[in-house]
Structure formats: structure tokens, C-alpha cells
Amino acid sequence: MFLPTIGVNSFQGSGAEDVGVGLRLGALAGSRITELLSLNVGFAFDIANMEAPPGASASQYVLDIGFNPLLHFPLEKLEIVAGPLAAVFLDKGSLGAGSTTIDSWGYGWTIGANAGLFFPVGKVRLGGLVNFYLRNPLKFCVTANGTDTCRSDDVDSLKTLAVSFAAML
């Protein structure tokens, strides 16, 4: 089974100030073990829509790779899917104005859930997928003026809600 997705993400919580709706690209790839269960590797790439001060630029990218099993509920005219996810993530950000740039990076683990509806269209199923991700950083670092400052304690979790168009192949 291959399930590519394209959609939008919304970062939630205290770590999401000045972040607008961004782009999400993803895919699930795996195998249907039974008619009702598939085991999948999931990939999600979030491009955050960062608000920067006037004259500055900002970017943030988050990549998740994990295990995304799905329960399938095939009905006559549609298929409902739902399941948990467990992943690891890498977060990379940058804020720059003129010749000054502040870079950040972090990594950690992710838990969450997937749910979707798919309708048969020819040999494929088209539909939508909703994802909720709770990213828990293990380490977060900021590089400014050539100096790294890293934290492992008291780093805020980041919640992400995404809605995507998907095709089940």
C-alpha cells in the first residue's frame, strides 16, 4: 500500500506563536496484513509559515519518520481508516535579518493519530487524512554569533494538526 498526501498544517500551543498555516507533504508506505489492518512506515514533512519581523526572514522545517499502523473499515461506498503513530522528528529553523542569522535545530519523539475517509475512483481510493502530532523534543539548540546554546530540559512540546488530500494506491 502507498498513500501519498499533500495538505496544510497548523502548529498549536505555546511554541506556535507567530506561526501561520503551512504546507504538509507526506506518505505512508506499507502492507495490508489483513483486510482490516495495514502496517506502514510514515513520513511527514512540515513547512511552517513563520511570521518574521519587518526586514527579516524566517523558516522552519520538521521531518517525522515513524510507524503508522492503520485499521481499515471498508464499506460499500467508502473506506474509513484510523490508527496511532509513533515517530522521531528533526526540526530545523532559521531567522535572519541582514548579515545576522540565528539557526535552530532539535530532535525528539512524536506520538499521534491518523484518521481518514477514502472513496473508490477507478483503481485507486481518493480522500482525506487528518493527522494530530505531539512532538516532544529531547534536545533543542540555537546557534547565534557562532555560539551554540542547547537545552534538554523544559523544552516545550509542539502540537501539529494537519489536513491532507490523499490517494490510496
Side-chain angles (χ1 to χ4, degrees), residues 98-156:
S99 63
T100 304
T101 301
I102 299 171
D103 293 316
S104 65
W105 61 272
Y107 61 86
W109 54 272
T110 303
I111 57 172
N114 298 305
L117 290 173
F118 292 89
F119 301 91
V121 178
K123 294 184 180 185
V124 301
R125 292 183 185 99
L126 300 178
L129 197 62
V130 175
N131 317 100
F132 175 74
Y133 282 37
L134 176 62
R135 295 182 175 116
N136 296 288
L138 296 174
K139 186 173 189 175
F140 184 76
C141 298
V142 175
T143 304
N145 300 323
T147 304
D148 283 335
T149 304
C150 295
R151 294 182 17 205
S152 296
D153 297 329
D154 298 324
V155 181
D156 290 335

Side-chain angles (χ1 to χ4, degrees), residues 4-98:
T5 65
I6 184 167
V8 294
N9 63 48
S10 175
F11 289 75
Q12 306 292 316
S14 61
E17 293 96 18
D18 301 325
V19 181
V21 173
L23 177 67
R24 160 149 306 178
L25 302 171
L28 296 178
S31 180
R32 291 278 280 259
I33 303 303
T34 69
E35 183 182 8
L36 302 177
L37 176 66
S38 66
L39 300 179
N40 307 288
V41 174
F43 302 91
F45 182 65
D46 287 321
I47 301 172
N49 185 6
M50 306 293 295
E51 294 179 26
S57 64
S59 63
Q60 182 179 2
Y61 307 97
V62 185
L63 174 66
D64 288 90
I65 301 172
F67 178 60
N68 299 50
L70 288 175
L71 294 173
H72 297 258
F73 303 99
L75 303 171
E76 186 177 329
K77 301 269 184 190
L78 68 103
E79 183 170 343
I80 301 168
V81 298
L85 68 93
V88 295
F89 76 89
L90 177 61
D91 183 326
K92 176 78 173 108
S94 181
L95 175 63

